[in-house]
Amino acid sequence: MNIKELELKATEVRCSIIRSLHAAGSGHPGGSLSAADIVTALYFDEMNVDPADPKMKGRDKLIFSKGHAGPAQYAALAVRGFFPEEELLTLRKMGSKFQGHPNMNYVPGIEMSTGSLGQGFSAAGGMALAGMLDGDPGRVYAILGDGELQEGLIWEAAMSAAHYKLDNLVGIVDHNGLQIDGRNDDVMTVMPIADKFRSFGWNVIEIDGHDMQQILDAFAAARACKGRPTMIVAETVKGKGVSFMEDQAGWHGKAPNDEQAEEALKELGELMEAQKKALTA
Amino acid sequence: MTEKIATRQAYGEILPVLGKEYPDLVVMDADLSGSTKTAEFRKVFPERFFNMGIAEQNMYGQAAGLALSGKIVCASTFAMFASGRAFEIIRNSIGYTHANVKICATHAGITVGEDGASHQTFEDIALMRTIPGMTVINPSDAVSAKKLLRQAVEMEGPCYVRLGRAAVPVYYKEEDEIILGRGKQLRDGKDLTIIATGIMVPDAMAAAEKLAEEGVDARVIDIHTIKPLDEEIILKAAAETGAIVTAEEHSVIGGLGEAVAHTVVKKCPVKMAMVGQQDVFGESGKPDELRAKYHMTAEDIVKAAKDLA
């Protein structure tokens, strides 16, 4: 899949996020949309996964440590063919396998139940440790929120991944700068993110998290790095792709109503048409 | 004189044996491998031993990741830090996922001794038994500890195994049958039942002998598995003896006593007394001095039984 095709897929993923959150009536659009390009690059280019065999031996694994953005992972898995996209309309409803935060025992392709911040990253380290022990070719990816970096467990896990030289582990910080109570810098500053991980012994790559080429290049550079885990610090925009949601802390944990969903899907639909035209041009 | 061995010592001895039988067994520690005795495993299988440093939360988070990748994980630190500090990681990353992690926690209860109140946990059984799907084991001596640790490793799913620092009497024999999830009746009796767990079990037996001298015929049961609880043996004892004294080296809030009360109150309510830590913190001292001061001895069981009669 070329860059333009991946960009189109990312828009499909964004549409799916809006549809499922609108149907749910609650959830976290801002941080789901900011991670959409990264998660699309992972499922459609970087990762070795098989929708027909979600537990395939030697597969790559993605853990959404920022579990509240699980709808982005659900959407990417659906678009990738792990399950029909219509199922996502049950998101957050009684009896649905699509819980408000992901449950690994319900949803094919979900590798870890997350939601309590910091824990997915720690478990990802354990999975990478197991992979190293077994000589498993699979790589482990973990998407972290920037606010999530305020959890002490993140730094315990960062320390141990470097200690055990887990070069099969790649973290991606979705640095959209916002958390529930406002800007990271006002709540509890997490800067300088890159320097912090560097000082913990990580290979750090800084990119624009909405530039597909930069995302792919970063994953390639992570593969080439031996003896150290890699942290990709991705500069992103919360709510990316839906103009009225962009860079608004208020869209961290609020679902769009009927009108807002329609407006968002209209905007994304226009983008999709333009992307399709660009593909055939 | 009866031989005395700490249950943590038994853990250190059985780990390399299990490591040989189970190639997928990995062991983790948080900078206490000499005290928890996981160092015995490290000596034999260094490539399957991970020291996580003084970071208990991350140890249990990583343990979840290892277990969900097919490993059987025994992860050890002091009971205080395993059950307390790492509680929410154990709840969400191990309990909620049903990961195959054995939380083998040592230095539980008052017999930690000289380290004092910051290290003496009386809350761990209470915390762990509230997690859905968590098996909670509290062996009373070295022989039963080894038998139960083997069964914990053989079963699928999360377990909390409570182990002690102090050397305690070895009273089970190798040929004794110890089955996870099933209480063990050690003495028959008709007047009342002493239900004990962990290192209070030999005290329960001593108390029953003392009571016999005074004409009280006490039944004694070892509940080494607090969850799932052997309700059958407890209800039978309630129905046949009409009174129960529980004994545990743990808070009377949320531990064995309340688990037994929860069972009998539903189907066969009987009078009960609970011997254990009475909602106070501990302090520094020798284990036996502390057990006497905080009322967790055979004499305290005798007194509770008499008050009940």
Side-chain angles (χ1 to χ4, degrees):
Chain A
M1 205 170 271
N2 65 32
I3 295 291
K4 285 187 165 31
E5 288 167 327
L6 286 169
E7 286 168 351
L8 177 61
K9 281 288 170 207
T11 307
E12 283 182 46
V13 167
R14 285 194 164 92
C15 289
S16 176
I17 291 168
I18 295 296
R19 279 194 292 266
S20 66
L21 287 171
H22 170 242
S26 67
H28 301 84
S32 298
L33 292 168
S34 64
D37 297 300
I38 296 158
V39 72
T40 301
L42 283 164
Y43 280 116
F44 288 88
D45 185 272
E46 171 66 10
M47 286 186 8
N48 174 29
V49 292
D50 181 0
D53 184 10
K55 299 274 182 196
M56 176 179 71
K57 210 170 155 45
R59 71 188 180 280
D60 295 333
K61 297 174 180 172
L62 171 61
I63 289 102
F64 254 68
S65 196
K66 46 175 284 187
H68 56 277
Q73 192 173 16
Y74 294 156
L77 286 167
V79 176
R80 184 74 171 79
F82 279 74
F83 40 78
E85 207 201 314
E86 306 83 73
E87 287 188 17
L88 290 180
L89 300 179
T90 65
L91 173 68
R92 287 179 163 250
K93 292 189 174 22
M94 281 279 289
S96 172
K97 60 186 173 192
F98 302 100
Q99 294 288 297
H101 295 84
N103 182 313
M104 59 169 283
N105 292 317
Y106 299 166
V107 183
I110 297 292
E111 302 284 357
M112 179 68 195
S113 304
T114 57
S116 177
L117 295 175
Q119 296 191 30
F121 187 47
S122 181
M127 290 178 191
L129 208 51
M132 187 188 71
L133 199 56
D134 292 340
D136 188 310
R139 293 167 68 74
V140 183
Y141 299 85
I143 297 185
L144 285 65
D146 46 11
E148 185 180 10
L149 303 181
Q150 291 156 0
E151 287 283 1
L153 178 54
I154 290 291
W155 303 100
E156 293 186 8
M159 202 183 301
S160 68
H163 178 84
Y164 283 107
K165 303 180 170 50
L166 301 178
D167 54 19
N168 55 349
L169 177 65
V170 180
I172 305 109
V173 178
D174 180 5
H175 188 214
N176 58 39
L178 292 170
Q179 56 192 105
I180 297 179
D181 275 355
R183 304 221 157 259
N184 300 151
D185 287 342
D186 294 330
V187 178
M188 178 54 62
T189 188
V190 293
M191 296 300 281
I193 298 173
D195 285 349
K196 282 191 171 83
F197 279 99
R198 264 187 215 110
S199 74
F200 273 67
W202 286 59
N203 172 44
V204 177
I205 303 169
E206 296 174 84
I207 61 164
D208 173 346
H210 301 306
D211 182 319
M212 200 54 84
Q213 188 64 56
Q214 286 192 34
I215 297 170
L216 299 188
D217 290 348
F219 288 136
R223 269 181 197 277
C225 177
K226 300 298 170 200
R228 282 187 297 166
T230 293
M231 183 59 68
I232 298 170
V233 181
E235 296 299 323
T236 58
V237 175
K238 198 151 187 158
K240 175 73 178 179
V242 178
S243 48
F244 65 88
M245 289 185 180
E246 286 188 1
D247 202 32
Q248 300 290 323
W251 283 103
H252 172 91
K254 184 175 76 174
N257 62 24
D258 293 349
E259 283 168 18
Q260 290 162 334
E262 194 182 342
E263 191 182 339
L265 289 170
K266 184 166 174 280
E267 183 180 349
L268 290 167
E270 285 166 7
L271 175 63
M272 200 183 288
E273 285 311 308
Q275 286 172 326
K276 279 181 184 164
K277 269 190 195 149
L279 264 183
T280 51
Chain B
M1 191 179 161
T2 322
E3 187 188 13
K4 283 189 166 187
I5 301 175
T7 50
R8 64 176 166 138
Q9 187 68 38
Y11 175 52
E13 287 171 15
I14 193 78
L15 269 182
V17 177
L18 293 169
K20 198 173 172 189
E21 292 174 39
Y22 294 90
D24 285 333
L25 180 70
V26 301
V27 175
M28 309 177 93
D29 207 294
D31 193 42
L32 290 167
S33 61
S35 301
T36 64
K37 303 299 174 189
T38 59
E40 301 306 313
F41 182 89
R42 184 189 63 208
K43 284 176 199 161
V44 187
F45 301 105
E47 73 288 355
R48 284 195 267 149
F49 176 85
F50 299 103
N51 201 326
M52 303 311 288
I54 310 164
E56 298 79 12
Q57 301 176 51
N58 186 48
M59 176 170 73
Y60 288 109
Q62 304 254 335
L66 278 156
L68 296 172
S69 306
K71 302 297 174 193
I72 306 166
V73 186
C74 288
S76 291
T77 178
F78 289 178
M80 180 79 257
F81 314 126
S83 68
R85 192 182 198 108
F87 174 77
E88 200 251 3
I89 286 101
I90 292 173
R91 191 267 191 195
N92 274 323
S93 287
I94 296 175
Y96 185 44
T97 61
H98 206 68
N100 200 16
V101 177
K102 318 304 167 184
I103 302 151
C104 298
T106 68
H107 295 64
I110 198 87
T111 50
V112 166
E114 292 82 350
D115 277 354
S118 62
H119 284 51
Q120 294 161 346
T121 179
F122 308 107
E123 306 85 8
D124 55 326
I125 292 173
L127 286 164
M128 289 297 125
R129 62 185 277 264
T130 59
I131 299 173
M134 180 69 73
T135 293
V136 179
I137 301 168
N138 185 25
S140 53
D141 81 339
V143 170
S144 59
K146 283 187 187 177
K147 288 176 185 279
L148 289 162
L149 281 159
R150 171 177 287 284
Q151 292 172 69
V153 164
E154 285 170 353
M155 67 163 273
E156 178 73 29
C159 289
Y160 180 79
V161 187
R162 187 185 214 236
L163 302 163
R165 168 181 178 253
V168 291
V170 179
Y171 66 93
Y172 278 117
K173 296 181 183 62
E174 278 305 326
E175 58 270 28
D176 288 335
E177 193 179 45
I178 307 286
I179 301 168
L180 194 149
R182 223 183 274 174
K184 180 96 177 159
Q185 184 171 313
L186 300 174
R187 190 184 200 282
D188 199 6
K190 61 180 192 318
D191 297 334
L192 69 110
T193 303
I194 304 166
I195 299 180
T197 189
I199 64 163
M200 294 305 294
V201 172
D203 298 272
M205 288 298 283
E209 280 161 34
K210 185 86 189 344
L211 287 165
E213 289 168 14
E214 300 178 29
V216 179
D217 187 18
R219 182 178 299 189
V220 177
I221 294 169
D222 173 7
I223 292 290
H224 47 68
T225 309
I226 292 169
K227 189 180 174 187
L229 189 64
D230 185 349
E231 297 199 342
E232 193 183 328
I233 202 170
I234 291 168
L235 289 171
K236 185 165 180 281
E240 291 175 1
T241 71
I244 293 172
V245 178
T246 57
E248 60 196 305
E249 188 200 12
H250 181 274
S251 175
V252 291
I253 298 172
L256 171 76
E258 285 197 352
V260 170
H262 182 84
T263 300
V264 299
V265 81
K266 287 184 291 185
K267 288 184 181 161
C268 184
V270 295
K271 284 191 290 182
M272 281 188 68
M274 295 175 192
V275 172
Q277 188 79 356
Q278 301 292 328
D279 198 21
V280 288
F281 292 107
E283 63 183 288
S284 291
K286 288 191 170 61
D288 286 344
E289 295 171 346
L290 293 168
R291 291 179 69 182
K293 175 168 179 181
Y294 291 93
H295 305 294
M296 288 179 279
T297 66
E299 291 71 45
D300 297 303
I301 299 171
V302 170
K303 186 172 179 300
K306 284 185 180 167
D307 289 350
L308 208 56

